[in-house]
Amino acid sequence: MARDEKDEDDRNQAEKDAFLQFRRQLDRQKEKHEADGSNADRLKSQGNHFFSFGLFEKAATMYSEALELKPESTVLLNNRAMAYLKQAMPLEALADADQSIELDKSVENIKAFWRRAQALLDLEKDVEAEEAANAGLALQASNSHLNSVRRKAREAITLRRLCGADWVGRLENGAEKRFSFTREGVMTMTVIGHPLKASFDLSVECNPQSMLVKMQAPGMVGSAPPPPVPYIYDFHDNDQELWICHPVGSTELPSSFSGPGFTRLRREAHVVVSIVDSAEPLDKRCASYMREFNQILPLVPPQLPERPSDDEISHEVALMDKVVKLKKRFGLEVHSRAMELVKAQRVEDAELAELAAGLRERLVARKVLSAAEVSTAPAPSTEVPASVPASDACCNTIEVPCQPLQQQPSGVSGCLSGLVARFCNRE
């Protein structure tokens, strides 16, 4: 009997000890969670501070450090997405927006829908951008940002269909008339060999869509430009035919494609010359690209004080601008190949290997490329693809998810980390 009571006491004591141990572990986890939350808020505030100065790369770094402590914070993901967008890094922004929406699909997280739509627009995925904007507007129809993105997406869709070709038709007397459009809003109408330039403004929220054409003033002193002319337009035959119609004898917008102002135009492609000679082998262009990139980007990112000076801000912004322009000048195909070489374990060509190593060191130093990603990447193919679809190539800047080779204090990475981050493929 006494033995049974002792065994019962021992079991009770063991249960009490186990419960106390559990409570101690729970309290320690709670304290750590609260400390992480406090540190994450501090890093977010620091990121907002840099963002207000226009130091978007630095802000993105702060948000990244905060996300290491609070990886499921939609606020931090949305903030970093905006910092990436400000650096022309739409792929990175899209990844953050998608993750944020996955965590919260409600109207309370409407900013994530805006970031997603804007990132797709910046990636020139105009149709997907319009769809993403519509998804957000289904939650909040009055959102001005989403309405603006949708309008720009629709304008981009129209401009893509209008531009890059000549539209050719005939006058009643059989003479040729030719129209061409630019993304800058310039329309050139050539009749019997004489070009007439005009500006045009699209209206994409109506059906049929329309444009307001403003002809330039005749080349005579004191001459006034003719009044603006409204056109309706529509595409047919797989975008091979453009219907346009303007009023005759009035200034009212036509309601149908009929009457003397109606014209059918057929598409005639014209050659677009690349800024960088695409006849050169891809790896040769890639070598030039990485060489210039290494020249632009300092090997070690500069340390910035909490309140950088005007000169420091100007210097960092100027470097970011150079990097963005470099990417645009060489194009997505060259950039994609460069990132493949940067992440590869082994590159056969000695010059490419040296240039890739230099760029890799810069990207890792800025927490843009992870050491693990580099060490596990396969060797690049020796067969260079003829072309890389824009949707598969990196965004407008540099980036890959990354972790530093060694722990650095907050704020050590220079202003180009995010900018650089956007240039790397993040897939």
Side-chain angles (χ1 to χ4, degrees):
M1 185 71 150
R3 182 179 182 86
D4 292 342
E5 290 178 354
K6 184 177 183 307
D7 290 343
E8 180 68 22
D9 290 342
D10 290 343
R11 283 195 297 272
N12 290 339
Q13 184 62 43
E15 290 176 357
K16 181 185 290 187
D17 292 342
F19 176 74
L20 290 174
Q21 180 66 19
F22 169 75
R23 284 298 305 269
R24 292 190 190 100
Q25 291 176 349
L26 186 64
D27 289 341
R28 284 195 294 270
Q29 291 176 357
K30 182 179 178 182
E31 291 174 359
K32 182 180 183 302
H33 178 75
E34 291 175 349
D36 287 348
S38 177
N39 289 334
D41 289 341
R42 177 180 58 80
L43 290 166
K44 184 189 78 168
S45 178
Q46 206 170 348
N48 293 345
H49 185 68
F50 281 120
F51 191 98
S52 68
F53 280 113
L55 299 173
F56 307 120
E57 175 278 331
K58 189 65 174 176
T61 300
M62 296 297 102
Y63 298 141
S64 295
E65 293 185 13
L67 279 164
E68 292 176 3
L69 302 175
K70 296 178 69 175
E72 295 190 350
S73 169
T74 58
V75 172
L76 288 170
L77 287 167
N78 294 340
N79 284 5
R80 188 170 69 174
M82 178 54 77
Y84 283 152
L85 287 171
K86 290 292 186 179
Q87 298 174 79
M89 298 169 62
L91 279 181
E92 292 68 29
L94 180 60
D96 279 353
D98 284 343
Q99 185 178 349
S100 181
I101 292 172
E102 186 66 28
L103 291 168
D104 183 0
K105 298 179 175 66
S106 74
V107 69
E108 301 301 322
N109 195 28
I110 196 67
K111 286 185 178 180
F113 290 86
W114 170 27
R115 309 293 198 261
R116 171 175 167 76
Q118 185 63 57
L120 289 167
L121 183 63
D122 291 351
L123 285 167
E124 299 182 3
K125 297 183 177 181
D126 314 322
V127 175
E128 293 179 50
E130 182 182 2
E131 293 172 351
N134 284 334
L137 289 169
L139 298 175
Q140 192 178 76
S142 62
N143 189 284
S144 60
H145 299 296
L146 286 167
N147 274 294
S148 176
V149 172
R150 183 174 67 177
R151 175 178 53 80
K152 291 177 181 177
R154 289 176 174 175
E155 289 177 351
I157 292 169
T158 297
L159 286 173
R160 176 165 43 81
R161 299 167 80 182
L162 275 176
C163 302
D166 289 340
W167 298 96
V168 182
R170 297 284 174 181
L171 297 173
E172 290 184 0
N173 62 8
E176 180 185 88
K177 61 178 177 180
R178 182 177 294 261
F179 291 78
S180 64
F181 301 84
T182 72
R183 293 182 178 273
E184 290 72 35
V186 176
M187 181 186 84
T188 302
M189 180 171 61
T190 304
V191 180
I192 318 178
H194 294 282
L196 301 172
K197 288 191 176 294
S199 62
F200 67 94
D201 296 313
L202 296 174
S203 178
V204 293
E205 301 298 320
C206 54
N207 187 23
Q209 295 182 343
S210 64
M211 67 176 76
L212 188 64
V213 176
K214 301 175 183 178
M215 302 299 296
Q216 293 181 357
M220 294 181 291
V221 177
S223 297
V229 178
Y231 283 72
I232 57 173
Y233 65 90
D234 199 5
F235 296 92
H236 292 268
D237 190 18
N238 256 352
D239 289 356
Q240 295 304 304
E241 188 165 281
L242 173 66
W243 291 11
I244 60 173
C245 187
H246 64 83
V248 176
S250 76
T251 58
E252 296 295 323
L253 183 69
S255 58
S256 64
F257 294 94
S258 60
F262 172 45
T263 303
R264 300 185 187 207
L265 305 170
R266 295 295 298 181
R267 174 188 291 271
E268 285 190 5
H270 62 255
V271 178
V272 178
V273 179
S274 175
I275 296 176
V276 175
D277 184 10
S278 59
E280 285 188 337
L282 178 57
D283 276 355
K284 184 174 181 179
R285 285 179 281 150
C286 186
S288 299
Y289 175 76
M290 292 191 292
R291 185 178 298 108
E292 288 192 39
F293 199 85
N294 287 337
Q295 291 171 351
I296 292 173
L297 201 64
L299 182 61
V300 178
Q303 297 186 20
L304 293 177
E306 183 176 349
R307 299 186 65 85
S309 67
D310 290 344
D311 287 342
E312 288 171 326
I313 294 173
S314 298
H315 177 70
E316 295 296 327
V317 171
L319 285 180
M320 286 193 287
D321 184 60
K322 288 181 181 179
V323 173
V324 171
K325 288 180 178 177
L326 177 71
K327 162 65 173 54
K328 290 181 177 179
R329 180 158 58 89
F330 277 86
L332 295 174
E333 182 185 18
V334 173
H335 167 72
S336 181
R337 175 63 173 168
M339 291 306 105
E340 180 186 3
L341 294 170
V342 164
K343 292 186 284 185
Q345 291 178 311
R346 176 173 51 83
V347 178
E348 296 293 341
D349 184 89
E351 181 185 24
L352 288 176
E354 180 179 358
L355 292 168
L359 185 52
R360 181 187 308 119
E361 187 173 0
R362 286 163 170 80
L363 299 183
V364 171
R366 287 162 176 80
K367 293 185 169 185
V368 168
L369 188 66
S370 68
E373 189 171 9
V374 173
S375 64
T376 58
S381 170
T382 56
E383 296 183 4
V384 179
S387 62
V388 177
S391 60
D392 295 336
C394 162
C395 62
N396 288 355
T397 313
I398 325 169
E399 160 13 67
V400 186
C402 78
Q403 300 164 349
L405 290 177
Q406 58 184 17
Q407 185 65 32
Q408 293 182 340
S410 299
V412 168
S413 296
C415 253
L416 288 183
S417 302
L419 181 273
V420 174
R422 158 257 168 109
F423 262 60
C424 311
N425 289 331
R426 185 181 202 166
E427 300 180 334

